[in-house]
Amino acid sequence: MRAAIFDIDGTLLDSVDLHARAWVEAFTHFGVETDFTEVRRQIGKGGDELMPVFLPKSRIEREGETIEAYRSDLFKQKYLPEVRPFPGVRPLFERIRAAGLTIALASSGKRTEVERYTEILKIGDLVNVATSSDDADRSKPHPDIFEAALKKLNSGTRDTIHVIGDTPYDAEAAGKAGLPTIGLLCGGFPEADLSASGCVAIFRDPQDLLDGFERSPLEAA
């Protein structure tokens, strides 16, 4: 099995700021003041891992599902129409498939969000499997989502499977699943953070990975 497992938000889609704005607005609606920069640093985690950074456990137990549902609806209605793909996504996927690799998506978002993202990216015909928070008990930085992707890929070996993500949480989760990560800078995390989290290679964005494909771990695999 030779495969590439992609995160979506911040990796394929320019959506990190929009998710952060939705969270800040949702927290404000429930009387919780947060800082945009601090919230943005948490994007890449699912709500189950993000909310404990800003809310006490007792409040999450009482209102966590309500807050997450409000945030989800707010994002879909107000911010999703602004989401755009980063340059080069479809050509990159075509290059990966031409190289004989299988493609999987592994997002901390809900299944409905992943389906909508696939439509926005126009990559549905190039993706073999997709996983979301609906397939995992815990979101990144836990490995559950990548473990679910591996199960759907039916892969017995992980030596030639790479994760492509934009956050340290992607690399941390992938590492726990025994997978190396290629980091992309387009999500806004500093290169030093991606290196410290264990990324084996770093590129600017999907277009840069496509341009440098022959020297990337994907080609080497």
Side-chain angles (χ1 to χ4, degrees):
M1 170 66 70
R2 301 173 66 233
I5 304 177
F6 281 87
D7 170 60
I8 301 177
D9 286 301
T11 300
L12 304 176
L13 290 174
D14 188 0
S15 56
V16 175
D17 284 356
L18 299 174
H19 277 291
R21 285 159 58 187
W23 273 111
V24 169
E25 190 171 336
F27 282 136
T28 300
H29 178 80
F30 288 92
V32 180
E33 294 302 318
T34 54
D35 177 74
F36 173 84
T37 302
E38 291 300 318
V39 173
R40 195 188 192 286
R41 291 194 185 106
Q42 303 302 318
I43 302 302
K45 299 178 178 179
D48 61 318
E49 293 293 320
L50 184 149
M51 282 191 286
V53 177
F54 303 100
L55 298 174
K57 181 179 179 181
S58 59
R59 185 160 189 188
I60 294 174
E61 291 175 349
R62 292 196 314 269
E63 298 182 89
E65 291 184 5
T66 302
I67 294 172
E68 167 62 15
Y70 181 90
R71 193 277 325 164
S72 180
D73 289 341
L74 175 66
F75 181 80
K76 290 174 186 175
Q77 295 174 20
K78 183 174 181 179
Y79 295 106
L80 184 58
E82 298 181 38
V83 171
R84 298 290 183 273
F86 286 117
V89 172
R90 183 172 176 86
L92 172 62
F93 276 37
E94 291 173 339
R95 178 69 178 84
I96 292 171
R97 289 293 296 270
L101 278 75
T102 299
I103 296 176
L105 301 179
S107 170
S108 292
K110 301 293 185 183
R111 180 176 293 112
T112 55
E113 294 175 357
V114 172
E115 291 171 352
R116 178 64 182 129
Y117 291 159
T118 303
E119 294 175 3
I120 293 172
L121 290 161
K122 296 181 172 58
I123 55 172
D125 59 316
L126 300 172
V127 173
N128 298 95
V129 303
T131 59
S132 67
S133 61
D134 300 278
D135 300 299
D137 293 329
R138 303 168 299 174
S139 67
K140 304 167 190 173
H142 297 287
D144 302 32
I145 291 171
F146 293 127
E147 294 284 3
L150 288 169
K151 185 176 181 180
K152 287 190 177 184
L153 287 169
N154 195 28
S155 172
T157 177
R158 307 180 183 194
D159 294 343
T160 57
I161 299 176
H162 286 78
V163 166
I164 298 90
D166 69 298
T167 74
Y169 315 123
D170 293 314
E172 183 179 345
K176 292 174 182 176
L179 301 171
T181 299
I182 299 170
L184 300 186
L185 298 170
C186 45
F189 277 87
E191 183 171 356
D193 289 3
L194 296 181
S195 295
S197 66
C199 289
V200 298
I202 297 175
F203 294 83
R204 288 192 307 274
D205 53 25
Q207 183 64 56
D208 189 38
L209 178 54
L210 173 61
D211 293 341
F213 191 86
E214 292 183 357
R215 57 181 173 82
S216 76
L218 295 178
E219 177 71 12

